[in-house]
């Protein structure tokens, strides 16, 4: 579908795909190989799925790294098949080094306000300064300060922009205004980071172009312990909810999280849509090793790998072949290894560490996958396991496992109940017929949660944003 700006009519785009015709810009903070876990992979996969659905889509990042580093990241993503071409991933600071004209046009002329913050220079390939970034430290919300970004031309300061927000909005306005030959398509931004999202809809110069639609995705649980719908939130989430009604749509990964938000704030507070991650296509052949329990996540307290280790002695007593393969690393690694020794299961645990392409190893040989986190958004690993035919045993945490396993493929365990976790693992590992049933139902569930279903859900949200944009 395509919006006629003059009449406000919405028409069918050539091809009649799930996504309306628009200029899609997926905006993230950074997309660095092997950083930020499932977030990075989910953003790249979304872009691939959108392009496969016929969308005109460009990825945008704002991390102030060097162009050579960004080029290396692009090359690696292309190698892994998660980026169609290097040109489809742009970075603000690469753009400003290569052509700073948009920055200079947006700069506010006149004296630059004083600032308590030191600055970091950004220079072009010749070493000439292009801009100075404020370096905001301490407890300050760096992305919301008005600390000036000094703008240069021919070595002299010619003006300034108010903070990162002014810089981000100026760049997005410039990118959105770039003409698509033969087309006049409305720019639709999918913002993937809360801090960046706040800067886009906050008042300031330059304002975000009124013709740009902004849909904000979510990737994480919004509440703190005890993780109920009315539990406290941290300051960043509280601040984000204060301005979230300025987005043309908020995209939740699960119905459960959307329902909890609406229960808390009212169904009319936000324009909410459920756009889940799609289950990927897993091509690795399934050859499960009997008794192999797989964990695939960072080794940090939130993932509660210690719960799985504490369940392992009971599992081994019932299923002597049971053993644990742990993919991932993190700050808790040494502590977890010590716990395995203390529990007497160190001989049954193999610490794989980080691998760039775990799918070819983990899912092909896994007998069962276990997830014991305190909270998630919608964990990609659960979808990957289902698609590979690997049964899932997961705590019933917010958010993701309950919604994702609703149509089969796994066992939900009361949150935090280690004995129940052990019992579920024993059940799956010791009953081969039960495992086969879960494997088959998981594959069927994953097939129904494919990229086409995710794109249809996204298309619904985009059509609403095109037809009825919010007033900012």
């Amino acid at each position: 579908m395509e919006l006629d700006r003059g009449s406000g009519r919405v028409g069918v785009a050539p091809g009649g795909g799930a996504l309306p015709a628009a200029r899609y810009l997926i905006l993230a903070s950074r997309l660095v190989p092997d950083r930020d876990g499932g977030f990075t992979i989910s953003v790249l996969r979304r872009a691939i799925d959108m392009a496969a659905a016929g969308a005109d889509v460009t990825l945008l990042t704002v991390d102030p790294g060097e162009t050579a580093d960004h080029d290396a990241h692009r090359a690696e993503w292309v190698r892994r098949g998660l980026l169609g071409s290097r040109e489809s991933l742009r970075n603000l600071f690469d753009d400003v080094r290569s052509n700073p004209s948009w920055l200079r046009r947006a700069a506010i002329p006149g004296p630059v306000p004083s600032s308590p913050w030191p600055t970091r220079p950004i220079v072009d390939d010749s070493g000439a300064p292009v801009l100075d970034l404020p370096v905001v430290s301490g407890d300050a919300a760096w992305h919301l300060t008005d600390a000036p970004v000094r703008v240069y031309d021919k070595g002299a300061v010619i003006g300034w922009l108010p903070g990162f927000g002014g810089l981000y909005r100026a760049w997005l306005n410039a990118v959105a205004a770039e003409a698509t030959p033969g087309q006049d398509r409305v720019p639709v931004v999918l913002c993937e980071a809360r801090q960046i999202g706040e800067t886009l809809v906050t008042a300031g110069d330059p304002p975000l172009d009124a013709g740009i639609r902004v849909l904000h995705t979510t990737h994480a649980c919004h509440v703190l312990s005890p993780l109920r719908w009315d539990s406290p939130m941290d300051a960043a989430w509280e601040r984000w909810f204060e301005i979230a009604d300025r987005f043309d749509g908020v995209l939740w990964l699960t119905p459960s999280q959307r329902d909890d938000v609406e229960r808390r704030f009212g169904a009319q507070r936000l324009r909410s849509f459920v756009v889940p991650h799609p289950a990927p296509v897993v091509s690795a052949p399934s050859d499960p090793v009997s008794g192999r329990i797989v964990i695939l996540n960072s080794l940090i307290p939130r993932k509660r790998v210690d719960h799985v280790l504490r369940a392992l002695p009971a599992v081994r007593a019932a299923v002597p072949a049971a053993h644990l393969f742990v993919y991932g690393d993190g700050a808790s690694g040494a502590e977890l290894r010590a716990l395995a020794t203390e529990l007497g299961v160190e001989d049954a645990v193999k610490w794989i560490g980080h691998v760039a392409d775990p799918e070819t190893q983990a899912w092909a040989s896994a007998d069962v996958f276990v997830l014991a986190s305190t909270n998630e958004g919608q964990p990609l690993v659960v979808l990957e396991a289902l698609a590979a035919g690997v049964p899932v045993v997961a705590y019933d945490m917010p958010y993701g496992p309950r919604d994702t396993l609703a149509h089969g493929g796994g066992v939900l365990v009361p949150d935090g109940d280690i004995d129940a976790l052990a019992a579920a693992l024993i059940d799956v590992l010791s009953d081969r017929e039960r495992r086969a049933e879960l494997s088959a139902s998981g594959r069927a569930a994953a097939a129904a949660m494919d990229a086409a279903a995710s794109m249809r859900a996204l298309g619904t949200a985009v059509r609403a944003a095109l037809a009825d944009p919010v007033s900012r």
Side-chain angles (χ1 to χ4, degrees), residues 452-465:
S454 180
M455 291 300 99
R456 287 194 296 271
L458 177 58
T460 297
V462 174
R463 276 186 281 274

Side-chain angles (χ1 to χ4, degrees), residues 220-224 226-231 233 241 252 254-267 269-270 272 274 376 396-400 402-403:
C221 177
H222 63 285
V223 290
L224 302 173
L227 298 170
R228 295 192 299 260
W229 71 271
D230 57 350
S231 293
M233 298 184 295
F241 273 111
W252 304 100
T254 64
S256 295
Q257 189 170 17
R258 177 207 55 196
D259 293 348
D260 279 359
V261 168
E262 291 187 347
R263 184 179 181 187
R264 184 172 192 143
F265 295 102
R269 173 71 169 81
L270 307 178
S272 290
V274 176
E376 296 284 351
D396 189 9
M397 74 194 75
Y399 292 96
R402 172 171 289 273
D403 299 271

Side-chain angles (χ1 to χ4, degrees), residues 166-472:
L167 179 62
Y168 295 165
R169 292 189 298 272
W171 183 51
L172 198 56
N173 286 343
V175 172
E178 293 172 354
T180 303
Q183 297 172 338
D184 180 21
R185 293 192 169 182
V186 177
V188 175
V189 174
L190 273 66
C191 184
E192 303 277 4
R194 279 181 286 137
Q195 289 177 323
I196 298 175
E198 288 181 76
T199 70
L200 299 184
V201 297
T202 298
D205 290 324
L208 191 68
D209 190 297
I212 298 174
R213 310 295 197 266
V214 182
L215 297 172
H216 204 298
T217 68
T218 55
H219 289 268
C221 177
H222 63 285
V223 290
L224 302 173
S225 181
L227 298 170
R228 295 192 299 260
W229 71 271
D230 57 350
S231 293
M233 298 184 295
D234 67 26
W237 271 109
E238 288 180 347
R239 188 176 60 234
W240 183 84
F241 273 111
E242 289 178 358
I243 54 89
D245 58 347
R246 303 179 195 175
F247 299 115
D248 296 289
V250 176
L251 312 184
W252 304 100
L253 289 170
T254 64
S256 295
Q257 189 170 17
R258 177 207 55 196
D259 293 348
D260 279 359
V261 168
E262 291 187 347
R263 184 179 181 187
R264 184 172 192 143
F265 295 102
Q268 304 305 315
R269 173 71 169 81
L270 307 178
R271 300 177 68 180
S272 290
F273 303 87
V274 176
V275 181
H277 293 317
V281 176
V282 176
S283 58
S286 179
D287 186 19
V289 175
S290 181
R292 179 161 298 175
I293 305 165
V294 164
I295 288 177
L296 205 166
N297 54 232
S298 301
L299 305 185
I300 56 176
R302 183 173 67 84
K303 299 296 185 177
R304 291 194 292 200
V305 176
D306 60 309
H307 282 218
V308 183
L309 292 174
R310 294 184 188 281
L312 193 54
V315 176
R316 292 187 76 199
V319 185
H323 58 285
L324 180 64
F325 268 43
V326 182
Y327 291 83
D329 54 26
S332 299
E335 180 183 341
L336 291 169
R337 287 175 172 83
L339 177 60
T341 300
E342 176 188 331
L343 294 169
V345 295
E346 70 275 15
D347 61 323
V349 182
K350 186 171 181 62
W351 306 92
I352 306 297
H354 172 78
V355 292
D357 302 297
E359 297 84 359
T360 57
Q361 300 179 41
W363 303 132
S365 60
D367 211 9
V368 64
F369 169 72
V370 62
L371 184 71
S373 307
T374 59
N375 64 90
E376 296 284 351
Q378 184 202 13
L380 283 174
V381 286
V382 172
L383 289 161
E384 290 172 356
L386 295 181
V390 178
V392 175
V393 172
Y395 277 152
D396 189 9
M397 74 194 75
Y399 292 96
R402 172 171 289 273
D403 299 271
T404 307
L405 298 178
H407 301 290
V411 180
L412 280 179
V413 174
D415 191 15
D417 189 334
I418 295 175
D419 291 339
L421 187 70
L425 289 169
I426 291 168
D427 176 53
V428 175
L429 293 174
S430 60
D431 187 339
R432 304 316 290 175
E433 185 174 332
R434 168 77 165 142
R435 187 202 181 274
E437 291 173 352
L438 289 171
S439 176
S441 63
R443 289 184 188 275
M449 295 183 287
D450 63 359
S454 180
M455 291 300 99
R456 287 194 296 271
L458 177 58
T460 297
V462 174
R463 276 186 281 274
L466 292 175
D468 185 23
V470 301
S471 173
R472 287 190 286 270

Side-chain angles (χ1 to χ4, degrees), residues 81-158:
L82 288 169
L83 187 67
S85 69
R86 299 186 188 194
E87 293 72 28
S88 59
L89 173 55
R90 293 171 58 172
N91 174 270
L92 185 159
F93 297 96
D94 296 349
D95 276 13
V96 81
R97 290 186 184 102
S98 63
N99 182 5
S101 59
W102 61 269
L103 176 69
R104 292 166 181 163
R105 287 194 302 269
I108 301 170
V112 178
S114 61
S115 169
W117 304 111
T119 59
R120 169 187 172 182
I122 301 295
V123 300
D124 63 20
D125 291 341
S126 70
V130 181
L131 60 84
D132 286 335
L133 282 179
V135 180
V136 181
S137 58
D139 295 331
W142 62 269
H143 59 298
L144 296 179
T145 68
D146 286 335
V149 174
R150 297 188 187 93
V151 178
Y152 290 81
D153 189 11
K154 299 177 181 177
V157 175
I158 62 166

Side-chain angles (χ1 to χ4, degrees), residues 43-67:
V43 171
L44 290 164
R45 284 183 181 171
R46 191 197 304 275
I48 287 175
D49 292 340
M50 292 173 66
D56 170 14
V57 58
T58 302
L59 287 154
L60 306 175
T61 60
V62 297
D63 60 308
E66 299 299 323
T67 300

